[in-house]
Amino acid sequence: MAGIDYKIPTVMTADELMEKAFHRASKIYKNGTNTLDTRKKTALAKVTAAGDIVVTALTGYVDKFPRMDKGDDFFPELVDIVIGIDRYKKALGAVNWCATKTEKLKNDTLHNIRRTKDPEIIEATRRGFYGRLNSYVDRIADDLEFLQDAKNKFRKLPAVDPNVPTVVVAGFPNVGKSNLVTVMSTAEPEIAPYPFTTKGIIVGHIEDDWRKYQIVDTPGLLDREFEERNDIEKQAVLALRYLTDVMLFVIDPSETCGFKLEVQEKLLKNIQDSFEGVDIIVAESKSDVLKRDNDRISFSAQSGDGMDVLTDTVKEAMREIFRRKAVDAEVE
Ligand SMILES: Nc1nc2c(ncn2[C@@H]2O[C@H](COP(=O)(O)OP(=O)(O)OP(=O)(O)O)[C@@H](O)[C@H]2O)c(=O)[nH]1
Ligand SMILES: [Mg+2]
């Protein structure tokens, strides 16, 4: 599965970073031609090492953390809910600031040490550098912690590929969604973490000649009315909205799921309203138990009844999406 595999480094805390820099510097000793030269060379090497360790670590973070801008799309929406894009950008900005300041401080300090012939001033300049370096890094302590936390959150974002045309399956609990996703998928569906459900979301793939689609089961996400949700859940549903090219809404007319047909129809209506503009295929499950005579596709993932028609209908709707995405890609 083409998931997100950001190669994000572990972020040191401010204390760890300073410890590393000072520890490395403390081990350095350079031999000079005389006492003054020895002191000078040693001080220059210490300042260079400590400064470089900080700059290298910080610029590494700035380079390796993904660029994120707010936007009407699945990942930005999700990252904004889970991490907070404004705060994230501020943290990267602060880290960049610290790297720049440190580099300049290092160069100024080296310059000052080179200029002097007074061993006292060499020592004082080096100590002054350590102090200011420490205070710069200290000022971004919160930002470093925030980034380490963000790194952990990035890793837990769902491994669904927003560029692959996607069918999202919705409906009340127990209507047979997971069973359907398993039967329709060409391989065993994988469970991808999703920050808003303990079960994660289940992602399968449908192969259609050379085309490939994702089919996503959404336990606990699209089984309640939009208004019943808290704000975070509402945003989570909105993020899902960006991922959804076609929705497959499953109704269990046998009511063996434990929910009356009436409330299932009401949820369908609600989903139709909140997913306006999305092609919604409504299908009735468990036809081995109860098969109604209406316009909807009736199927049983258990007996296989109606699965051909349902699969063909889904593929046809997805091909249309595929064509549209291909045209969009050409226009861009
Ligand atoms: N008779 C019959 N039972 C089915 C069929 N599909 C699923 N079930 C049963 O319905 C129950 C729920 O099936 P799931 O596929 O887990 O339903 P779900 O919609 O994914 O449920 P949640 O993940 O809890 O939302 C299970 O006991 C299944 O055995 C079917 O085609 N026929
Ligand atoms: Mg399920």
Side-chain angles (χ1 to χ4, degrees):
M1 184 189 312
I4 351 152
D5 186 21
Y6 297 120
K7 298 262 181 289
I8 303 178
T10 297
V11 180
M12 282 183 269
T13 65
D15 286 348
E16 285 165 353
L17 182 55
M18 288 324 296
E19 245 173 64
K20 186 179 173 191
F22 290 153
H23 181 72
R24 183 79 55 84
S26 75
K27 303 214 139 163
I28 292 173
Y29 178 82
K30 295 276 177 203
N31 255 325
T33 48
N34 53 48
T35 316
L36 177 70
D37 192 43
T38 295
R39 286 205 181 180
K40 208 177 240 196
K41 283 197 169 123
T42 301
L44 290 170
K46 283 177 191 285
V47 167
T48 304
D52 285 352
I53 281 170
V54 170
V55 171
T56 304
L58 298 184
T59 49
Y61 303 153
V62 174
D63 288 346
K64 296 207 182 78
F65 270 85
R67 294 276 161 279
M68 278 288 158
D69 281 306
K70 287 192 183 183
D72 293 345
D73 214 341
F74 181 62
F75 272 116
E77 188 76 25
L78 211 55
V79 170
D80 200 27
I81 313 169
V82 177
I83 294 169
I85 288 186
D86 288 339
R87 179 67 186 86
Y88 177 70
K89 290 175 93 164
K90 183 193 158 284
L92 285 177
V95 169
N96 193 41
W97 167 87
C98 187
T100 310
K101 291 293 272 186
T102 300
E103 181 66 24
K104 178 163 188 333
L105 176 67
K106 181 192 84 178
N107 290 329
D108 290 350
T109 306
L110 294 176
H111 179 74
N112 291 339
I113 291 176
R114 278 194 201 102
R115 270 190 355 184
T116 186
K117 290 194 161 50
D118 182 341
E120 297 285 323
I121 292 181
I122 292 174
E123 277 314 291
T125 309
R126 183 183 60 77
R127 275 200 303 274
F129 168 78
Y130 281 10
R132 288 180 70 185
L133 179 61
N134 201 21
S135 90
Y136 285 158
V137 173
D138 206 45
R139 272 162 69 176
I140 61 159
D142 287 351
D143 300 291
L144 292 173
E145 265 176 51
F146 178 88
L147 288 177
Q148 174 57 19
D149 189 47
K151 173 207 158 97
N152 292 330
K153 287 174 171 168
F154 268 119
R155 282 205 313 216
K156 289 191 192 124
L157 287 181
V160 290
D161 189 338
N163 302 312
V164 176
T166 304
V167 194
V168 168
V169 183
F172 260 90
N174 267 314
V175 295
K177 300 184 298 292
S178 299
N179 205 2
L180 171 67
V181 168
T182 308
V183 173
M184 267 207 181
S185 302
T186 35
E188 190 80 1
E190 294 172 58
I191 298 177
Y194 194 82
F196 310 99
T197 121
T198 49
K199 292 179 184 169
I201 58 179
I202 298 152
V203 186
H205 290 102
I206 299 175
E207 271 162 33
D208 178 20
D209 294 336
W210 47 273
R211 302 172 203 86
K212 201 170 182 178
Y213 317 128
Q214 278 172 152
I215 180 161
V216 175
D217 183 13
T218 58
L221 273 176
L222 297 173
D223 56 10
R224 251 174 312 146
E225 295 195 16
F226 196 68
E227 293 74 28
E228 288 170 19
R229 301 170 181 284
N230 65 37
D231 286 350
I232 296 272
E233 286 175 328
K234 278 182 182 163
Q235 268 182 292
V237 172
L238 287 177
L240 208 58
R241 164 77 180 73
Y242 293 114
L243 192 69
T244 310
D245 293 302
V246 168
M247 180 173 284
L248 182 51
F249 192 92
V250 180
I251 282 189
D252 172 6
S254 76
E255 298 183 347
T256 55
C257 62
F259 300 96
K260 292 269 180 228
L261 202 48
E262 196 187 318
V263 298
Q264 295 186 59
E265 296 285 357
K266 200 164 160 245
L267 176 64
L268 170 60
K269 181 83 191 47
N270 188 274
I271 296 267
Q272 278 165 336
D273 291 343
S274 41
F275 282 70
E276 221 193 304
V278 170
D279 186 3
I280 301 184
I281 300 167
V282 184
E284 300 198 342
S285 63
K286 307 186 187 175
S287 67
D288 55 299
V289 182
L290 177 75
K291 196 178 173 95
R292 300 202 300 171
D293 190 15
N294 59 23
D295 295 345
R296 291 174 182 166
I297 298 162
S298 177
F299 73 96
S300 165
Q302 204 160 293
S303 73
D305 171 56
M307 285 306 295
D308 288 355
V309 181
L310 182 59
T311 306
D312 285 347
T313 306
V314 167
K315 282 184 179 172
E316 193 40 58
M318 293 312 286
R319 273 178 216 161
E320 181 54 35
I321 299 295
F322 211 96
R323 280 192 284 268
R324 236 182 280 159
K325 287 204 172 187
V327 170
D328 285 351
E330 268 172 35
V331 170
E332 279 167 18

